[in-house]
Amino acid sequence: MAKETEKQQKRKQIAEAARDLFTEFGYRAVSVAQIAERADVAKGTVYLYFKDKEELFLYLVQEFIDEMGRFAHDVEQQNLSITEQFHTVIYNLLKYRREQKFLYRVVREARETHFALARRVTDLLDSEITRYIEKLLEQAVRDGKVRPCNPKVLSFVIVHIYSALAFEWEEKHAPLDEEQVAEAVRNFLQYGLILPDGQTQPS
């Protein structure tokens, strides 16, 4: 049992060293030798725990995905309305992804260099959030809380609206605060844009 604990500590030591280096320099600029040196282990020791640098990188990403899953589960226990669940989960997971320096570096590297692995990781993170919202929508339809819809399509749209308002918007405009983002998406979800035929907005 003690040996297993020692192995877990060594794996954590290597992973933390890799995360620090990836955050500082980006994935492509870091070698296994540098990771070993930062972790204060032999280069061969790294390969005892991870097949290669890519596996180590994806291991770090999976840690964040697992954390996202725990957060989403905690939200489910709060008995929130469907709209509040959408907002709490999507906004905070996107915010969490951005505020984590390691993930922020991955996203930036994907955008700036079109690096395939970084692009795959950002797609994976987005798909995890989208999958959760899709599951939430499917249940809401079954419960009669939302109109019949295509959950896969709508979850994709909702997540990308949040992403655009929370992060892309500020590239050309003054940043929106959390409540402004929530209100915009709430209006979209609850009221839509087009009024029914024959109905006009009261002046």
Side-chain angles (χ1 to χ4, degrees):
M1 190 68 174
K3 284 187 177 180
E4 186 63 28
T5 301
E6 185 178 338
K7 286 182 178 180
Q8 290 173 347
Q9 291 175 342
K10 187 70 70 175
R11 176 184 285 266
K12 182 179 178 182
Q13 183 178 333
I14 293 169
E16 288 179 347
R19 183 173 58 242
D20 290 345
L21 286 169
F22 290 151
T23 300
E24 189 173 353
F25 302 108
Y27 175 84
R28 293 192 294 181
V30 174
S31 67
V32 173
Q34 290 172 310
I35 294 170
E37 182 179 0
R38 178 68 67 94
D40 196 24
V41 300
K43 182 178 177 180
T45 303
V46 176
Y47 290 112
L48 290 175
Y49 295 91
F50 302 96
K51 182 180 71 175
D52 51 27
K53 186 175 74 166
E54 180 174 325
E55 184 178 273
L56 175 49
F57 180 71
L58 294 175
Y59 171 84
L60 293 170
V61 173
Q62 187 61 50
E63 285 190 329
F64 285 108
I65 290 175
D66 292 343
E67 183 64 28
M68 287 162 58
R70 286 190 288 271
F71 175 78
H73 176 74
D74 290 344
V75 172
E76 289 178 353
Q77 310 308 307
Q78 296 177 28
N79 197 31
L80 302 173
S81 70
I82 186 74
T83 306
E84 289 173 324
Q85 275 188 283
F86 282 151
H87 175 68
T88 303
V89 170
I90 303 173
Y91 185 88
N92 285 285
L93 287 184
L94 289 173
K95 184 179 178 184
Y96 172 73
R97 190 185 76 177
R98 181 173 184 176
E99 290 179 347
Q100 290 293 328
K101 293 180 180 179
F102 167 68
L103 291 181
Y104 180 74
R105 181 74 190 223
V106 170
V107 173
R108 193 176 73 183
E109 197 165 11
R111 287 179 177 173
E112 292 178 354
T113 67
H114 304 289
F115 177 40
L117 179 58
R119 179 72 262 172
R120 179 152 60 95
V121 168
T122 58
D123 289 345
L124 178 62
L125 293 168
D126 285 344
S127 69
E128 285 295 317
I129 301 174
T130 304
R131 189 178 301 115
Y132 174 80
I133 298 304
E134 181 182 346
K135 183 181 72 171
L136 196 62
L137 278 169
E138 288 173 347
Q139 186 60 52
V141 170
R142 286 194 293 269
D143 294 342
K145 294 180 179 179
V146 300
R147 298 174 183 174
C149 64
N150 184 324
K152 185 178 290 294
V153 171
L154 191 55
S155 61
F156 177 88
V157 170
I158 293 170
V159 170
H160 281 75
I161 288 175
Y162 262 101
S163 183
L165 289 175
F167 308 121
E168 295 172 34
W169 171 270
E170 64 184 53
E171 293 176 5
K172 296 183 179 179
H173 308 277
L176 301 173
D177 60 31
E178 181 176 346
E179 184 52 42
Q180 288 175 309
V181 173
E183 183 65 21
V185 180
R186 187 180 299 119
N187 286 337
F188 169 76
L189 291 175
Q190 289 186 279
Y191 310 115
L193 179 64
I194 307 300
L195 292 169
D197 290 344
Q199 182 177 335
T200 58
Q201 183 71 23
S203 54

